[in-house]
Amino acid sequence: MSCVKKVLRGLLIGVAGIVPGVSGGTLAVSMGVYGQIIGAVSHLFQRPGESVRILLPYGLGMAAGIGGLAFVIETLFGTFPFAASMAFLGLILGGIPSLLRKAEFSRSGLKKYVLAVAVFCLMTVIAIGEGGKGGGGELAFSTAAERLATMTCVGMIASITMVVPGVSGTMLLMMMGYYQPVLHAFNLVQAGFLTGDWQTVLEQQELLLPFTFGLAAGIFLCARTMEAMLARWETFVYAAVTGLVLSSPAVILWGIPMGDVGGGQLAAGLMLLAAGALLVVKLGDE
């Protein structure tokens, strides 16, 4: 495969990876490069030269895809928060049929139902307790140490989902309430580089550096672990993910002031919800 093709495929994976509900891992599987990428990550320290040679063009393409789409997505959330959230919610919920097939609830169904319900309740309680951070907003930390620990953990949690095909890491970020703040910080860094505003670039590293460290560390540490878990407990992993996805309406919409949503945006949101779900069902990997 030529380097240009790898970069282009990485670009598509990056575009898919930044949209909540769309799995970059699934796209990598459909293009036949998932095993190659995961293998290179898993053996980065054993075969560094070969792994870097494989990962570099994909990484460049992913960076270009993420950077090119980040401004567009943030603008949509800022201008049409309800409609944009409903569109992404449709993309998330549209993956439920595929998850149900992978979870195989008919086998050891009771244990899987309990696991799915437990995850659903946990995520819903977190959303209510956090006051709907999934709808966006500023992140508040009491101390620098709290910010460092929290953002590192958030990066690691997001990285785990990126290893599992069919699960969106950005979806999980959105449900935890960190998607829009991280996206905003990333866009400020991009704008800072373009305008030479290096102070802004440095200020945003307080949020992005620990997140990026957690993301990278999580991918390297969890690639083999997730491969082993999927090989041994694949259906239970997807049962837990099903509970997470089912909690997404409460998590994502809880913080949006519905009184400010007009009739036009409400109608548009419902249509986008249906369109997003239908799109994912039609493009399902099964």
Side-chain angles (χ1 to χ4, degrees):
M1 185 191 308
S2 71
C3 184
V4 174
K5 286 184 178 180
K6 289 182 179 180
V7 171
L8 290 176
R9 290 182 177 185
L11 187 141
L12 292 176
I13 293 172
V15 169
I18 198 174
V19 177
V22 182
S23 169
T26 297
L27 190 58
V29 170
S30 69
M31 293 189 296
V33 298
Y34 178 78
Q36 183 185 37
I37 293 175
I38 289 297
V41 172
S42 298
H43 299 94
L44 179 63
F45 297 108
Q46 289 80 13
R47 299 193 293 267
E50 179 183 350
S51 294
V52 170
R53 179 178 56 81
I54 293 172
L55 294 174
L56 183 59
Y58 291 119
L60 291 174
M62 290 173 66
I66 292 171
L69 198 61
F71 282 114
V72 176
I73 290 181
E74 186 179 15
T75 300
L76 289 175
F77 272 113
T79 309
F80 309 105
F82 176 76
S85 295
M86 289 291 279
F88 290 134
L89 186 58
L91 294 173
I92 294 171
L93 297 180
I96 290 179
S98 176
L99 286 173
L100 292 176
R101 288 193 294 270
K102 291 177 179 178
E104 297 181 3
F105 281 96
S106 59
R107 297 171 50 195
S108 302
L110 181 58
K111 294 179 181 178
K112 294 175 186 174
Y113 281 122
V114 170
L115 179 60
V117 170
V119 173
F120 170 85
C121 292
L122 176 63
M123 293 303 299
T124 302
V125 168
I126 290 175
I128 296 174
E130 291 293 323
K133 276 169 51 178
E138 295 293 329
L139 297 178
F141 301 101
S142 301
T143 63
E146 180 188 357
R147 179 178 59 242
L148 176 64
T150 300
M151 295 310 301
T152 300
C153 290
V154 168
M156 293 190 72
I157 293 171
S159 72
I160 294 173
T161 64
M162 295 178 181
V163 182
V164 184
V167 183
S168 168
T170 47
M171 175 199 75
L172 187 57
L173 283 178
M174 189 176 193
M175 294 176 67
M176 293 189 298
Y178 292 95
Y179 177 71
Q180 292 183 56
V182 170
L183 183 67
H184 180 63
F186 178 74
N187 280 333
L188 287 177
V189 169
Q190 288 198 101
F193 273 114
L194 293 175
T195 61
D197 184 0
W198 304 113
Q199 182 177 351
T200 297
V201 172
L202 291 175
E203 288 175 351
Q204 298 309 311
Q205 300 315 306
E206 293 182 349
L207 193 73
L208 292 180
L209 273 182
F211 173 78
T212 303
F213 174 78
L215 192 67
I219 290 174
F220 293 138
L221 294 174
C222 297
R224 289 186 176 180
T225 302
M226 290 305 299
E227 281 185 310
M229 288 181 64
L230 286 172
R232 188 170 181 179
W233 301 298
E234 180 180 13
T235 58
F236 283 92
V237 171
Y238 282 109
V241 173
T242 300
L244 186 150
V245 169
L246 287 174
S247 69
S248 57
V251 176
I252 292 175
L253 299 177
W254 186 264
I256 296 179
M258 298 302 294
D260 298 337
V261 178
Q265 190 173 175
L266 178 63
L270 292 174
M271 288 188 291
L272 289 170
L273 173 72
L278 181 61
L279 176 63
V280 172
V281 169
K282 292 295 184 181
L283 297 179
D285 60 326
E286 292 281 318

